[in-house]
Amino acid sequence: MNRRAPEPVQVVKERRDAALSELVARVPYISFMGFEFERRGDELTAVMPYRPDLIGNPALPALHGGALAAFLEVTALISLSWTLVWPKIESGETTGVLPKFPKTIDLTIDYLRSGLPRDAYARAEITRAGRRYASVQVEAWQDNRARPIVQATGHFLMPDGASDT
Amino acid sequence: MTADLENKTERARTFVETLPHCQALGMALQSIGQGEAEIAMPYAEKLIGDPDTGVIHGGAVSALMDTCAGAAVMSHPEAGYATATLDLRIDYMRAAKPGATITAHAICYHMTRSVAFVRVSAHDGSSDVPVAAASGAFAVERGSK
């Protein structure tokens, strides 16, 4: 039996990272807000590096609730899109890999603690992604993973061509 | 208007106009008082969420609606000295028209000792159907329990 040698790990990583940065770089609002995405295998962690213009309560001080809402929504949208991109890059497709973005139908945000003036992190869990609709839960924390500062659940309309998972 | 209420309106106005994140998004307070507020956010390329269509990102609209709701709470006659969002549910009804200013209008329709209830809608002037609508609960800080 003739088995193909596995691709060098660096090649695989570069292809995945290139697809992720291309996906994120498409959205002007993401770069305006300074959001970044880190990848371990197919798992994404979003980072919102602290900046003074994210403050919503200078007296405390605390992060703006709207900035946190945006952070969670972006995390959910990129994570959902990533599930559409991933199978394509893994099967070696190189062109037309980036899908249209899902559309947010609704988002319910639960503010648990005030956001401190430092970096925040978020991860999304896709509860269900169908051909048309997806349900996503997303949570953000700062210094302590066990003490989330904000969580949200959202529904999204998937772009044409999404498959049931 | 009583001195106290005028004070609340002024505080709410300062709150919106000096907040770093509101300035970053270009928000401008249109009107405020008696538990109602209206804030405009002009279209800007940095706010684009969908590069194919030029439509503003939902996150920017959420920030606008959250700010507007908070301002409405602060201008309510029975407001405390500060407020913070407890929860906000946002429904995105349609894409905002590229190029159009988005205006949010919030009404604080009920206030208890510790919680304020608010409804917000966001319009882009191109249709009677709002771009988005939200309802939320806000914590009311009165300084002592």
Side-chain angles (χ1 to χ4, degrees):
Chain A
M1 196 172 107
N2 231 343
R3 183 180 281 180
R4 219 166 37 150
E7 274 185 299
V9 62
Q10 214 42 47
V11 173
V12 175
K13 279 190 176 175
E14 269 170 27
R15 186 171 60 226
R16 292 171 178 173
D17 288 337
L20 178 60
S21 4
E22 206 185 326
L23 180 69
V24 172
R26 282 171 77 204
V27 185
Y29 181 70
I30 296 183
S31 45
F32 166 63
M33 295 291 286
F35 301 157
E36 295 160 6
F37 283 82
E38 290 177 0
R39 185 190 64 78
R40 295 286 179 277
D42 69 347
E43 185 196 57
L44 298 184
T45 305
V47 184
M48 178 166 83
Y50 173 70
R51 286 191 330 212
D53 68 3
L54 296 174
I55 288 291
N57 182 333
L60 283 176
L63 296 176
H64 194 290
L68 287 168
F71 182 47
L72 294 188
E73 188 179 340
V74 165
T75 305
L77 282 168
I78 292 291
S79 301
L80 264 181
S81 302
W82 185 239
T83 64
L84 302 175
V85 173
W86 181 262
K88 291 190 179 173
I89 45 176
E90 291 311 287
S91 67
E93 284 181 50
T94 49
T95 52
V97 162
L98 295 186
K100 287 196 164 177
F101 281 106
K103 289 189 173 125
T104 313
I105 300 169
D106 62 61
L107 190 70
T108 305
I109 309 141
D110 195 356
Y111 293 91
L112 307 168
R113 296 179 172 87
S114 70
L116 301 169
R118 55 190 75 149
D119 294 1
Y121 314 99
R123 272 187 210 136
E125 191 190 326
I126 296 156
T127 318
R128 172 164 146 75
R131 258 178 311 229
R132 293 178 68 195
Y133 307 110
S135 288
V136 181
Q137 305 223 356
V138 50
E139 189 174 80
W141 69 98
Q142 292 186 301
D143 301 330
N144 193 335
R145 180 68 181 89
R147 290 169 65 83
I149 56 167
V150 55
Q151 65 185 16
T153 176
H155 296 94
F156 298 84
L157 192 62
M158 298 300 277
D160 291 341
S163 62
D164 228 326
T165 51
Chain B
M1 206 189 268
T2 66
D4 181 48
L5 191 55
E6 225 167 278
N7 228 340
K8 278 175 177 151
T9 303
E10 263 326 291
R11 193 160 56 208
R13 179 181 293 279
T14 317
F15 160 81
V16 175
E17 289 178 346
T18 60
L19 281 192
H21 193 57
C22 302
Q23 287 178 339
L25 294 177
M27 291 182 205
L29 189 70
Q30 305 294 295
S31 68
I32 188 157
Q34 302 280 357
E36 283 195 45
E38 195 167 279
I39 302 179
M41 184 172 72
Y43 185 79
E45 279 183 8
K46 63 187 178 188
L47 302 181
I48 291 175
D50 186 343
D52 297 334
T53 58
V55 170
I56 284 188
H57 198 282
V61 179
S62 307
L64 173 67
M65 293 206 290
D66 181 63
T67 305
C68 195
V73 171
M74 289 185 76
S75 79
H76 193 278
E78 292 153 43
Y81 76 93
T83 186
T85 320
L86 281 175
D87 88 72
L88 193 67
R89 179 201 154 108
I90 306 163
D91 292 331
Y92 295 94
M93 267 90 94
R94 61 183 181 85
K97 192 178 150 207
T101 292
I102 299 180
T103 305
H105 184 243
I107 301 177
C108 175
Y109 62 92
H110 185 61
M111 169 139 348
T112 71
R113 191 159 163 75
S114 12
V115 185
F117 299 87
V118 194
R119 271 192 291 269
V120 203
S121 60
H123 290 265
D124 64 359
S126 71
S127 156
D128 287 342
V129 179
V131 168
S135 68
F138 283 69
V140 177
E141 304 295 341
R142 298 195 187 274
S144 59
K145 195 77 181 121

